[in-house]
Amino acid sequence: METLKESPKVRQKSLSKQLLLGLGLSLATVGLATFWGNYRQFQSDLEKQVKTRAQSITESLEFATEGTLELEDHNLLQRVVQNYATLPAVVEIAIVSPNGATLAHSSGESNPPPFRSVYPQLADDMEQSAIQGIGTNYQMVLKNKSVLVSILPFRSVLFGTSGKRGLAIAIVDLEQIKQEADRAFFASTLTMLGGGSIILLLMGVLVQQTVLYPLNALNDAVASSKKTGTFTMPLAIPTNEIGFLAQTFGNVFKQLEAYEQLKFEIAQRKQVEAILRESEARERAKSQELEQILKELQRTQTHLVQSEKMSSLGQLVAGVAHEINNPVNFIHGNIHHANQYTQDLLELLQLYQTALRVPTSEIKDKIEEIDLEFLREDLPKLLASMKVGADRIREIVQSLRAFSRLDESEVKDVDIHEGIASTLMILQSRLKSKPNRSEIQVVKDYGDLPAIECYAGQLNQVFMNILSNAIDALDEHDLQRSTAEMAANPSQITIRTEVLPSDRIRIRIADNGFGIPEAVQNRIFDPFFTTKSIGKGTGMGMSISHQIVTEKHRGALRCISQPGQGAEFIIEIPIRQSQSTSSPDDVAVVEKVQHPV
């Protein structure tokens, strides 16, 4: 019991020392940090203060000199210069005329030598300041002292219209200024240290009175309660955190009386809880199993709905393309004949004009009314423009027909490059330049691919999802770049195809956008997961694309990305589906991903 009584006191004394030592170390750390920060700031600002001081001397000297020169009082000018020379840290003052003569000097000589001959190293700076009218500062060593020379040009009516200016020159002792600044800095530092010591002493007394004494009283009360079993609140306890601690001790001693009684009840409750926990675990396992089944049903339902939508879309696109194709072919097939007929009519008209040298007045009026020369020039251009438009419509129709294979259920041999081209044609409007960004460049690096046995329409859907995501990523990237940055590093989508040795092909689609944030890694192919805002993505595009590649084509779909370096989607599928032996469970590899649909 004696040991139990003495041990808290020892800890209390140790706490006292720790509190005081902690306060001292805190103040010492703050003081040293403040001293070091102030000293670094003082050193960094000293050169600026020296230049400012030298410049203020030359500016005030220049102001006083202009009025004195107009009075043509040389003695007064000499006294003004000598007065400025008495300022602290000023080594030398001089007033120099545009032709280099020293008008007044702090030495007091009546005919001082030219300033440039005394300090030839300043000759070039003095000449430039006199001509250009720009003040300058020059640091040099004079009589084993580091000095700062401040040169300030000024004008006067006495200098005529030569264009040159007089110069007010002040030489300031840098070492003296630094010594004065150091003395002021260390005086303020000593004052701060003295104040910190007084604060430390006052805080030590305050901690002793408000913290340590009440803790000692509380320690005695706790030691006494071990003998009596009753805790008595000390009178010296203040109504603060220490009082709250003392009240807590009282409550603890009261609760100890009921502890033994609760132990038996707790043991019984633990047995009941163990039984309930086992039952809860069984129910949780069933719930998780049902939840997994529900998610799978939702995913299957969504895939069925999406497949049906894409099938209907394919039928609609194919029907529209077919309906447009017939009249476009009619127009395209007849433009050539119309162009030939037009040339024949124009040649016939030329023959008529040659044969009928002097047309009648009625023909002249009609020629002027219809502007015959313009019609002869513009009609061939009009027909050529119509042919270009018809060719463009035929290309779009062919792309739509190639892309509309979504409803084809059987495997066919197709040209992968044609499917990519049709997808790019449909997305052409999104690739073009916009007011806030330049055109997205598409770089194609195609290998020599054979005809691939696949579901062409579904594979086109995969291309559409990946390319749309790449365009969205580049649009978002360009919104945060300037015009100069976009010109230096334009947005770009690179498409590469190649044949692999294992009778497979690889399709790589890469962009140079932001890349993939860590938060969305390993979730890109999860159903309903999207990083886009509401209304811009359903979160099913990449999930369906993954299913098409891995399950329908027994291939692999993965994405490689580093933040800030863009993202690259890689598709690998076998050349012949009948020869593929890959398991769908082995082909889904996700490294880092970006912007799901």
Side-chain angles (χ1 to χ4, degrees):
M1 293 299 294
E2 197 67 27
T3 302
L4 292 175
K5 289 177 65 179
E6 291 178 358
S7 179
K9 292 184 178 180
V10 172
R11 289 196 297 272
Q12 183 267 334
K13 292 179 181 180
S14 176
L15 176 61
S16 174
K17 293 179 180 179
Q18 290 176 1
L19 287 174
L20 294 177
L21 181 60
L23 289 173
L25 289 177
S26 299
L27 289 177
T29 302
V30 173
L32 289 175
T34 305
F35 172 78
W36 179 247
N38 291 340
Y39 183 74
R40 291 294 300 273
Q41 183 68 28
F42 165 77
Q43 291 294 332
S44 62
D45 293 343
L46 182 58
E47 182 179 353
K48 182 178 179 181
Q49 294 175 4
V50 170
K51 290 182 180 180
T52 303
R53 184 172 181 179
Q55 187 175 359
S56 65
I57 292 174
T58 53
E59 288 178 352
S60 60
L61 177 61
E62 179 266 339
F63 177 76
T65 300
E66 288 184 359
T68 307
L69 284 175
E70 293 179 0
L71 296 176
E72 299 184 3
D73 189 342
H74 184 270
N75 293 329
L76 178 59
L77 179 62
Q78 184 66 38
R79 288 197 298 273
V80 169
V81 170
Q82 290 178 344
N83 287 337
Y84 274 96
T86 60
L87 293 174
V90 175
V91 177
E92 192 172 340
I93 297 290
I95 302 298
V96 181
S97 66
N99 58 10
T102 304
L103 301 178
H105 194 273
S106 58
S107 63
E109 297 181 18
S110 58
N111 292 314
F115 202 80
R116 298 179 184 178
S117 63
V118 178
Y119 301 107
Q121 63 269 38
L122 300 176
D124 293 338
D125 292 333
M126 294 172 61
E127 182 68 20
Q128 291 182 2
S129 296
I131 294 175
Q132 299 177 1
I134 300 175
T136 183
N137 294 314
Y138 183 82
Q139 189 170 345
M140 67 178 187
V141 178
L142 178 63
K143 296 178 182 181
N144 296 326
K145 292 183 179 180
S146 179
V147 298
L148 179 69
V149 181
S150 179
I151 302 174
L152 182 66
F154 66 92
R155 292 184 180 273
S156 177
V157 295
L158 299 179
F159 297 155
T161 60
S162 63
K164 289 188 175 182
R165 300 166 177 81
L167 300 176
I169 303 175
I171 301 179
V172 182
D173 188 348
L174 292 178
E175 294 181 358
Q176 183 178 348
I177 294 177
K178 291 180 179 179
Q179 290 174 359
E180 293 176 357
D182 287 340
R183 285 195 295 271
F185 176 75
F186 284 111
S188 63
T189 301
L190 290 175
T191 303
M192 183 184 68
L193 290 176
S197 300
I198 295 174
I199 292 174
L200 177 61
L201 180 60
L202 292 177
M203 291 185 67
V205 174
L206 182 62
V207 169
Q208 187 75 18
Q209 294 292 331
T210 59
V211 177
L212 299 180
Y213 286 161
L215 284 177
N216 190 25
L218 179 59
N219 180 66
D220 293 339
V222 172
S224 176
S225 65
K226 293 179 181 179
K227 296 179 180 180
T228 62
T230 303
F231 177 76
T232 304
M233 179 72 69
L235 298 177
I237 299 299
T239 57
N240 53 18
E241 287 80 1
I242 298 177
F244 176 76
L245 180 61
Q247 186 66 35
T248 303
F249 273 118
N251 294 335
V252 169
F253 277 100
K254 292 179 180 178
Q255 292 175 1
L256 286 175
E257 298 176 358
Y259 176 70
E260 293 297 333
Q261 181 180 356
L262 291 176
K263 287 175 64 176
F264 178 73
E265 297 179 2
I266 291 174
Q268 289 183 332
R269 290 181 181 180
K270 286 183 177 180
Q271 294 177 357
V272 174
E273 287 177 358
I275 297 173
L276 292 176
R277 195 177 295 112
E278 293 177 0
S279 176
E280 182 181 0
R282 290 193 298 270
E283 295 298 327
R284 187 183 299 111
K286 292 181 180 179
S287 176
Q288 291 176 351
E289 183 180 357
L290 291 175
E291 183 178 357
Q292 187 65 30
I293 294 174
L294 178 60
K295 288 183 178 179
E296 188 65 29
L297 288 174
Q298 290 177 342
R299 177 183 176 184
T300 304
Q301 181 184 7
T302 304
H303 285 182
L304 290 174
V305 172
Q306 187 72 10
S307 299
E308 184 63 27
K309 288 171 60 178
M310 296 306 295
S311 177
S312 300
L313 177 61
Q315 295 176 5
L316 175 62
V317 170
V320 172
H322 178 73
E323 293 299 326
I324 295 175
N325 188 51
N326 290 335
V328 167
N329 285 336
F330 174 77
I331 296 173
H332 185 270
N334 287 293
I335 283 179
H336 174 72
H337 301 292
N339 187 38
Q340 185 63 42
Y341 298 159
T342 301
Q343 292 295 332
D344 294 341
L345 289 174
L346 291 176
E347 291 175 1
L348 179 62
L349 179 61
Q350 181 66 34
L351 291 176
Y352 270 111
Q353 287 182 328
T354 303
L356 186 61
R357 295 289 183 178
V358 180
T360 64
S361 59
E362 183 179 358
I363 294 176
K364 284 184 178 180
D365 293 340
K366 191 63 177 177
I367 289 175
E368 293 178 358
E369 179 183 350
I370 66 176
D371 196 354
L372 180 60
E373 291 301 324
F374 172 77
L375 289 180
R376 294 176 63 179
E377 293 179 2
D378 191 59
L379 186 57
K381 296 178 182 179
L382 178 63
L383 292 172
S385 176
M386 293 173 63
K387 185 176 185 306
V388 171
D391 290 339
R392 177 63 176 167
I393 295 174
R394 290 188 67 194
E395 292 176 359
I396 294 174
V397 169
Q398 290 175 359
S399 297
L400 290 174
R401 295 180 66 184
F403 187 80
S404 64
R405 297 171 175 172
L406 297 172
D407 58 335
E408 296 182 358
S409 58
E410 65 276 7
V411 176
K412 292 184 178 180
D413 290 340
V414 298
D415 184 357
I416 293 295
H417 295 160
E418 180 183 349
I420 297 175
S422 64
T423 305
L424 290 174
M425 176 68 70
I426 295 173
L427 295 173
Q428 188 64 36
S429 61
R430 297 192 60 193
L431 296 171
K432 294 180 179 178
S433 60
K434 297 180 180 179
N436 58 346
R437 68 159 174 82
S438 58
E439 180 181 2
I440 298 176
Q441 301 176 1
V442 178
V443 179
K444 301 176 184 178
D445 183 11
Y446 290 165
D448 187 12
L449 300 185
I452 307 301
E453 189 179 59
C454 64
Y455 297 93
Q458 295 184 11
L459 212 55
N460 287 343
Q461 183 182 354
V462 175
F463 299 150
M464 175 68 73
N465 290 334
I466 296 176
L467 289 171
S468 296
N469 285 342
I471 295 173
D472 290 340
L474 293 174
D475 285 341
E476 183 180 347
H477 185 225
D478 287 340
L479 287 176
Q480 303 182 26
R481 296 199 299 168
S482 63
T483 304
E485 291 175 335
M486 287 188 283
N489 184 23
S491 297
Q492 180 175 289
I493 296 175
T494 304
I495 305 174
R496 297 184 177 90
T497 61
E498 59 182 331
V499 178
L500 300 179
S502 56
D503 291 332
R504 299 167 71 88
I505 65 165
R506 177 182 293 160
I507 306 165
R508 309 168 75 104
I509 303 176
D511 65 71
N512 60 346
F514 278 124
I516 308 308
E518 295 291 338
V520 299
Q521 293 181 15
N522 301 322
R523 296 193 61 194
I524 186 64
F525 299 128
D526 292 348
F528 308 107
F529 175 75
T530 179
T531 59
K532 298 180 181 179
S533 58
I534 298 175
K536 292 187 177 181
T538 62
M540 292 303 301
M542 294 310 302
S543 175
I544 293 175
S545 299
H546 179 265
Q547 183 185 26
I548 291 173
V549 173
T550 59
E551 298 180 11
K552 291 286 187 178
H553 295 85
R554 299 185 180 182
L557 175 59
R558 62 182 183 271
C559 180
I560 303 174
S561 176
Q562 292 292 335
Q565 299 181 7
E568 182 180 35
F569 283 87
I570 301 175
I571 304 171
E572 294 182 8
I573 59 174
I575 297 176
R576 312 301 299 177
Q577 291 295 318
S578 57
Q579 298 175 358
S580 175
T581 58
S582 301
S583 172
D585 297 332
D586 300 331
V587 296
V589 180
V590 182
E591 296 180 10
K592 295 180 182 178
V593 294
Q594 165 173 299
H595 295 292
V597 175

